[in-house]
């Protein structure tokens, strides 16, 4: 009987990625090569078990893997869903507006420094706009997302993978919600191709 063909579901990001022998950050193994096609055969929270074509496998941060593009939809089929950037854009706008209101109150003397500090504690907003591209920080899921105006993808994460289920919907194929922020943010990300999905 012929073995089934290896059909990759994801690709390793262009700079390669760290790998572990188990879904445990204390058990690192050999990193995966850049642009290596892999199959995701198991998931535990943020962790993904990546299977290579030679049969070797390792656990990786599944939020950073690039999805292999699917075939275009057949004629007459509904368009494929992509993550709608508007909910996260709205969250960033709302948090920034809240911060501005507090700054105005502080400047007008209606708020003292201690109150300003306590009312802004935990507030995180991150946004970089470069022409038609924007990088937004999703504080709820601790990740930077890249948006080209149409879809939203995970660009980088600010916390290590967790075995706990994500706190909300993934970026890929669903709306992203949550407040925006800059905790652990990479500053102004280099405007280069976005990395990964967050399924």
């Amino acid at each position: 009987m012929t073995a089934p063909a290896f059909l990759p579901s994801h690709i390793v990001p262009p700079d390669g990625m760290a790998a572990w022998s188990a879904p445990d950050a204390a058990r690192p193994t050999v990193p995966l090569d850049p642009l290596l096609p892999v199959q995701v055969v198991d998931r535990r929270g943020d962790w993904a078990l990546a299977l290579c074509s030679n049969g070797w496998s390792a656990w990786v941060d599944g939020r950073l893997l690039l999805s292999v593009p699917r075939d275009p939809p057949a004629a007459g089929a509904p368009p494929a869903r992509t993550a709608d950037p508007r909910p996260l854009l709205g969250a960033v706008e709302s948090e920034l507006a809240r911060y501005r209101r507090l700054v105005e109150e502080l400047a007008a003397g209606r708020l003292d420094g201690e109150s300003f500090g306590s009312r802004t504690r935990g507030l995180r907003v991150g946004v970089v706009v470069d022409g038609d591209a924007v990088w937004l920080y999703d504080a709820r899921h601790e990740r930077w997302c890249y948006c080209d105006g149409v879809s939203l993808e995970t660009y980088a994460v600010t916390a290590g993978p967790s075995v706990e289920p994500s706190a909300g919907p993934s970026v890929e194929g669903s709306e992203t919600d949550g407040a925006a922020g800059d905790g652990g943010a990479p500053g102004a990300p280099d405007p280069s191709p976005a990395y990964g999905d967050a399924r």
Side-chain angles (χ1 to χ4, degrees):
M1 184 173 172
T2 306
F6 178 81
L7 297 174
S9 59
H10 293 77
I11 296 175
V12 174
D15 55 351
M17 69 189 308
W20 293 265
S21 59
D24 179 351
R27 299 179 62 184
T29 187
V30 179
L32 297 186
D33 291 337
L35 303 177
L36 178 71
V38 298
Q39 275 183 1
V40 172
V41 294
D42 192 10
R43 287 192 181 269
R44 296 185 191 174
D46 298 328
W47 295 97
L49 181 57
L51 174 66
C52 307
S53 60
N54 64 2
W56 189 78
S57 62
W59 289 91
V60 299
D61 187 341
R63 297 171 295 179
L64 297 178
L65 288 170
L66 294 159
S67 286
V68 171
R70 296 174 178 85
D71 292 334
R81 288 189 61 194
T82 58
D84 186 344
R86 291 172 294 180
L88 184 53
L89 282 165
V92 171
E93 186 177 18
S94 174
E95 293 298 285
L96 186 57
R98 182 163 76 92
Y99 183 81
R100 179 172 180 135
R101 284 193 302 270
L102 292 171
V103 168
E104 294 288 354
E105 289 184 31
L106 181 65
R110 296 191 301 271
L111 200 62
D112 60 36
E114 184 177 346
S115 298
F116 179 76
S118 66
R119 291 176 66 180
T120 56
R121 189 171 295 118
L123 177 64
R124 294 190 170 97
V125 178
V127 59
V128 177
V129 179
D130 183 15
D132 62 355
V134 63
W135 289 259
L136 302 168
Y137 188 70
D138 177 357
R140 181 172 181 178
H141 303 107
E142 298 182 298
R143 62 190 169 199
W144 278 91
C145 297
Y146 169 83
C147 174
D148 59 5
V150 177
S151 62
L152 195 66
E153 302 179 61
T154 297
Y155 177 84
V157 295
T158 59
S162 167
V163 294
E164 297 300 318
S166 296
S170 67
V171 164
E172 182 184 310
S174 65
E175 291 186 352
T176 302
D177 60 0
D182 67 5
D190 177 36
S192 55
Y195 292 176
D197 70 54
R199 192 191 318 235

